[in-house]
Amino acid sequence: MRILIINGSPKSKRSNSYKLTCAFTEGIKAVCETDIREIDVNKLNLSPCLGCFACWNKTPGKCVIKDEMSGVLDEILAADIIIWSFGLYYFNVPSKLKNLIDRQLPLSLPFMVKESETGGHPSRYDMSGKRHVVISTCGFYTTKGNYTSVNAMFDHFLGKGRYETICCGQGELFRVPELSGRTGEYLDYVKTAGEEFVSDGITDETREHLDELLYSKEQFEAMADASWGVERESGEKAAEDFSFTKQMAALYKPSSYPGKDIVLEMAYTDVGRSYQIVLKKDGYEVRSDNFTQYTTKIETPFTVWKNIAAGKISGTQAMMKKLYSVQGDFDLMLHWDDYFGSRKKLRLKKPKERALCCFCLSHG
Ligand SMILES: Cc1cc2nc3c(=O)[nH]c(=O)nc-3n(C[C@H](O)[C@H](O)[C@H](O)COP(=O)(O)O)c2cc1C
């Protein structure tokens, strides 16, 4: 099966959407033999369409511009599955990808399709056996209401209901190692979708998981706002450890509230600053002053805590090596994942693994 990935992100392989695309093709590869080709639109030499219609009259099927587009058209014609992979830009596809889409005009015939309500052109080639998949991430918390233009464009040029879509909001989270518990879980579902796509089609169960938000709107927006490292009111640069602590706090799940407020104090010994995260019934508060008596205090260099959160060191090992220490109530540490875990569901194979990773932030 020949698969063509058209990676339309200006970030090439660093694209968030491309991570989903790779998971999807991993799934396909798990069930059938594949020949995967990739077009990195960002690296192509493609001029914009001149609008001269020479590809319809003077040189039917051939563009007058001599650049890399003729190779792209050959790849499109040879593929069985075409994956359109891109991040949402101003509610549409990034400009270089739009240019590639425009430059497909030689694949159409000039005549009008009679049956179309909106107007259209028939294909010059038999494209009926090809399957298309649109894979995209966007920056807002949800895809709802943000993909109207994208859907309208693909409905027109691929045919409504004739392509599969996997679109995911909160796309920037795919490059945050601290959240790989949750994003990894999502990528597993995308992989399953790839397997199912080439078998009997994506199941309703997988679709439900794909349509689920990575995090709630409130959690995501708190993390996103803190991630810029800039104070909301003043626009001034914020200390990295403060932004980090706010992002960590945003992961708090009030469903784990134990019946009384917990005051978690983070004392970063290398930067000489402390913060308190108060875990309340309906939310949390991050303090940099006006401290109250802590329930649990973690004394750690900020660099160590960051490495634990990013999965570079295991929390258990770091504690055994005395890289950080805990004072006060240890219960929070034992139930860390319940309070702050980034996975939606803990999908651990053996119950014992839970105890090992429970105070390792998102990584055991
Ligand atoms: C110029 C620009 C425009 C964007 N427009 C939108 C938008 O309209 N809606 C949205 O939700 N995210 C928007 N984003 C965020 C991206 O869609 C998001 O970061 C996405 O994950 C990028 O995907 P990629 O890494 O695959 O390129 C925009 C980002 C940039 C740089």
Side-chain angles (χ1 to χ4, degrees), residues 22-94:
C22 290
F24 190 79
T25 53
E26 275 306 306
I28 299 179
K29 280 195 274 185
V31 286
C32 62
E33 268 193 30
T34 53
D35 171 4
I36 300 183
R37 312 288 172 111
E38 289 194 29
I39 290 176
D40 185 343
V41 180
N42 185 39
K43 298 205 172 122
L44 280 184
N45 164 29
L46 286 192
S47 302
C49 174
L50 297 171
C52 66
F53 293 112
C55 61
W56 280 1
N57 48 35
K58 290 196 188 104
T59 54
K62 298 269 171 272
C63 181
V64 292
I65 305 171
K66 300 291 167 247
D67 59 14
E68 292 181 275
M69 192 60 200
S70 65
V72 174
L73 296 180
D74 290 345
E75 288 291 349
I76 289 175
L77 290 172
D80 299 305
I81 297 175
I82 300 165
I83 302 177
W84 301 87
S85 176
F86 58 90
L88 189 71
Y89 271 30
Y90 279 90
F91 308 98
N92 217 307
V93 297

Side-chain angles (χ1 to χ4, degrees), residues 7-12 14-19 85-92 94 135-143 146-147 168-175:
N7 178 0
S9 169
K11 285 144 72 183
S12 298
R14 289 186 301 107
S15 150
N16 305 317
S17 315
Y18 183 72
K19 290 191 173 74
S85 176
F86 58 90
L88 189 71
Y89 271 30
Y90 279 90
F91 308 98
N92 217 307
I135 299 183
S136 178
T137 59
C138 73
F140 294 140
Y141 84 97
T142 179
T143 57
N146 291 323
Y147 278 86
C168 179
Q170 311 183 14
E172 287 302 317
L173 301 189
F174 284 94
R175 62 183 180 82

Side-chain angles (χ1 to χ4, degrees), residues 17 27 45 58 72 89 91 102 117 128 147 149 151 175 199-200 210 242 247 253 258 265 273 280 321 325 348:
S17 315
N45 164 29
K58 290 196 188 104
V72 174
Y89 271 30
F91 308 98
D102 293 349
E117 267 180 37
S128 56
Y147 278 86
S149 308
N151 293 336
R175 62 183 180 82
S199 308
D200 294 327
L210 295 175
F242 191 32
Q247 288 178 73
K253 293 183 237 173
E265 189 164 316
R273 280 185 289 265
K280 303 177 179 189
K321 286 186 190 161
S325 64
L348 297 172

Side-chain angles (χ1 to χ4, degrees), residues 57-279:
N57 48 35
K58 290 196 188 104
T59 54
K62 298 269 171 272
C63 181
V64 292
I65 305 171
K66 300 291 167 247
D67 59 14
E68 292 181 275
M69 192 60 200
S70 65
V72 174
L73 296 180
D74 290 345
E75 288 291 349
I76 289 175
L77 290 172
D80 299 305
I81 297 175
I82 300 165
I83 302 177
W84 301 87
S85 176
F86 58 90
L88 189 71
Y89 271 30
Y90 279 90
F91 308 98
N92 217 307
V93 297
S95 58
K96 284 185 175 178
L97 179 59
K98 177 61 169 64
N99 182 35
L100 182 148
I101 290 169
D102 293 349
R103 293 285 306 278
Q104 290 181 111
L105 204 65
L107 297 182
S108 297
L109 288 165
F111 318 108
M112 297 296 170
V113 174
K114 295 261 177 335
E115 313 77 59
S116 166
E117 267 180 37
T118 54
H121 301 286
S123 180
R124 188 178 292 278
Y125 303 93
D126 178 10
M127 308 289 259
S128 56
K130 294 189 193 305
R131 299 179 74 190
H132 293 263
V133 188
V134 170
I135 299 183
S136 178
T137 59
C138 73
F140 294 140
Y141 84 97
T142 179
T143 57
K144 289 210 175 76
N146 291 323
Y147 278 86
T148 316
S149 308
V150 169
N151 293 336
M153 181 185 69
F154 282 109
D155 280 357
H156 278 291
F157 102 78
L158 301 176
K160 200 172 167 69
R162 298 201 50 231
Y163 61 97
E164 199 54 79
T165 50
I166 297 180
C167 295
C168 179
Q170 311 183 14
E172 287 302 317
L173 301 189
F174 284 94
R175 62 183 180 82
V176 180
E178 288 84 347
L179 305 178
S180 63
R182 174 66 184 119
T183 52
E185 182 180 57
Y186 189 89
L187 292 174
D188 282 347
Y189 289 122
V190 178
K191 185 176 173 204
T192 305
E195 283 175 38
E196 294 172 350
F197 175 72
V198 285
S199 308
D200 294 327
I202 300 177
T203 60
D204 290 348
E205 192 193 336
T206 304
R207 174 55 63 195
E208 236 175 74
H209 290 300
L210 295 175
D211 290 345
E212 232 182 309
L213 296 178
L214 290 177
Y215 291 95
S216 69
K217 179 180 190 289
E218 294 71 30
Q219 279 185 315
F220 167 71
E221 291 182 348
M223 277 193 282
D225 287 352
S227 72
W228 297 108
V230 175
E231 295 291 353
R232 192 181 189 111
E233 281 76 30
S234 64
E236 302 274 305
K237 189 147 180 45
E240 191 194 349
D241 46 299
F242 191 32
S243 300
F244 180 93
T245 307
K246 283 201 261 185
Q247 288 178 73
M248 187 173 96
L251 287 170
Y252 168 57
K253 293 183 237 173
S255 56
S256 310
Y257 184 72
K260 58 177 175 24
D261 290 4
I262 295 178
V263 181
L264 168 63
E265 189 164 316
M266 298 299 304
Y268 299 124
T269 50
D270 50 354
V271 291
R273 280 185 289 265
S274 295
Y275 305 100
Q276 283 192 336
I277 305 172
V278 187
L279 307 179

Side-chain angles (χ1 to χ4, degrees), residues 320-337:
M320 302 228 251
K321 286 186 190 161
K322 299 195 181 351
L323 295 178
Y324 71 90
S325 64
V326 179
Q327 289 154 43
D329 191 346
F330 200 74
D331 190 66
L332 175 73
M333 309 308 287
L334 293 172
H335 298 100
W336 191 273
D337 270 347

